[in-house]
Amino acid sequence: MSRLEPVEKGRPRPDSNGLQDRQLARTEWSVDLPVPHPGPACRSTFGQRITTVRLARAGYQGMNLRMAFGSAALVRYLSIRQYVDMSIPGARPDDTHPPTTVLGDKSCKARYGVAHVRAIFSQAGFPFKETSPDEDAMAVDGDVDFLAAPARIQIKCTSQFTISGRGATWPAEVHWRDRWNAAKIPVYFVLVILDRSDRHEWISHHGAGTDHRAAAFWTRVDRIGPNENVTVPKSQRLTVATLADWEREVEECFLPM
């Protein structure tokens, strides 16, 4: 339940509903919102923007509050005899995203990383089969299918690196290295780097199309050493042309020694 707290202290007296009537012509109130908030003011709970709304004089202000906040969980019966200025969070002028979300930021990154890689595979014309979360025992996120055989793919998505530069290093867990080394087909580690940490800036839409502030880089890891971390060179950008190289390396696994 949200709480309404006065910024300016007035002399309260109980009213007939057991609430408090302020004897001030105008009173500033601050609002303690739940996080995450279910209404259109969700992003403002993190301090992006504050909007002031004046509530009309009425016996019950619950309807006005629900309209302002988009939430039925606020105070339903607020008996106020004067005008009240409410400082409440409001959406940014450029907000076009849904007011509520289901996935957290970490999960959003994970899903975006898989979707980004899958889009490149689709452009190249090769299907990607994602590993079920409950069956993630091979330290891979899925397989890309070539005509001869599949290759295994591990995907990580992050905003802690920049797209430019020479390379990036990702820590490799012991069981990752063990499973990768045991594979008889190539295993590729794909690092999707987001140029912005705010997920609302990952994708932008305009008249000429849609832009993604991201890039994917790769390295082969089924030959990684027992104590090595994953080093991904920025020179190995994941593109449609990459899939032809991977297909060739898969086919080489079945050539006679």
Side-chain angles (χ1 to χ4, degrees):
M1 178 71 80
S2 299
R3 298 194 306 274
L4 303 179
E5 299 177 352
V7 176
E8 298 180 15
K9 294 182 179 180
R11 189 176 186 84
R13 62 178 176 82
D15 66 3
S16 59
N17 292 322
L19 301 175
Q20 292 180 340
D21 184 16
R22 299 283 169 181
Q23 294 180 326
L24 295 175
R26 296 178 60 184
T27 303
E28 284 290 324
W29 294 73
S30 63
V31 180
D32 181 15
L33 288 174
V35 178
H37 188 267
C42 177
R43 291 190 64 189
S44 298
T45 60
F46 299 95
Q48 278 89 343
R49 185 177 174 85
I50 294 295
T51 301
T52 299
V53 173
R54 173 171 290 187
L55 301 181
R57 179 177 180 180
Y60 296 104
Q61 302 293 337
M63 180 64 71
N64 300 69
L65 287 172
R66 285 197 294 276
M67 290 174 62
F69 287 89
S71 171
L74 295 173
V75 179
R76 296 182 59 188
Y77 303 107
L78 182 61
S79 179
I80 297 178
R81 306 293 183 252
Q82 307 292 341
Y83 287 97
V84 176
D85 284 344
M86 300 293 295
S87 294
I88 65 170
R92 299 190 320 189
D94 60 343
D95 278 349
T96 57
H97 56 85
T100 60
T101 59
V102 175
L103 298 177
D105 284 348
K106 183 177 180 180
S107 296
C108 287
K109 277 193 177 76
R111 298 315 308 163
Y112 181 91
V114 172
H116 186 90
V117 172
R118 188 191 290 272
I120 296 174
F121 291 171
S122 298
Q123 183 187 16
F126 295 100
F128 178 72
K129 295 185 296 187
E130 189 173 358
T131 304
S132 170
D134 293 330
E135 298 175 338
D136 185 12
M138 304 303 293
V140 294
D141 291 303
D143 299 338
V144 56
D145 282 336
F146 300 109
L147 289 177
R152 292 177 177 170
I153 312 297
Q154 172 77 314
I155 303 169
K156 293 297 178 182
C157 184
T158 182
S159 59
Q160 71 184 52
F161 302 113
T162 60
I163 294 176
S164 61
R166 300 179 60 183
T169 301
W170 194 271
E173 299 181 18
V174 174
H175 78 278
W176 293 3
R177 294 192 294 260
D178 292 343
R179 296 306 173 97
W180 296 342
N181 290 152
K184 302 302 181 183
I185 54 177
V187 181
Y188 299 103
F189 183 96
V190 178
L191 183 64
V192 179
I193 297 178
L194 291 160
D195 199 35
R196 294 289 188 271
S197 58
D198 186 345
R199 59 186 172 83
H200 303 105
E201 299 177 2
W202 297 348
I203 304 173
S204 59
H205 307 279
H206 50 83
T210 299
D211 295 333
H212 290 250
R213 301 300 299 266
F217 306 90
W218 66 275
T219 188
R220 187 168 173 174
V221 292
D222 53 287
R223 301 166 182 169
I224 193 171
N227 299 310
E228 287 185 54
N229 287 319
V230 179
T231 301
V232 184
K234 299 285 183 66
S235 59
Q236 295 185 173
R237 182 80 170 262
L238 181 65
T239 65
V240 170
T242 305
L243 277 294
D245 295 333
W246 288 4
E247 185 176 31
R248 176 180 50 79
E249 291 184 351
V250 167
E251 291 174 351
E252 289 175 353
C253 296
F254 299 94
L255 297 178
M257 299 297 293

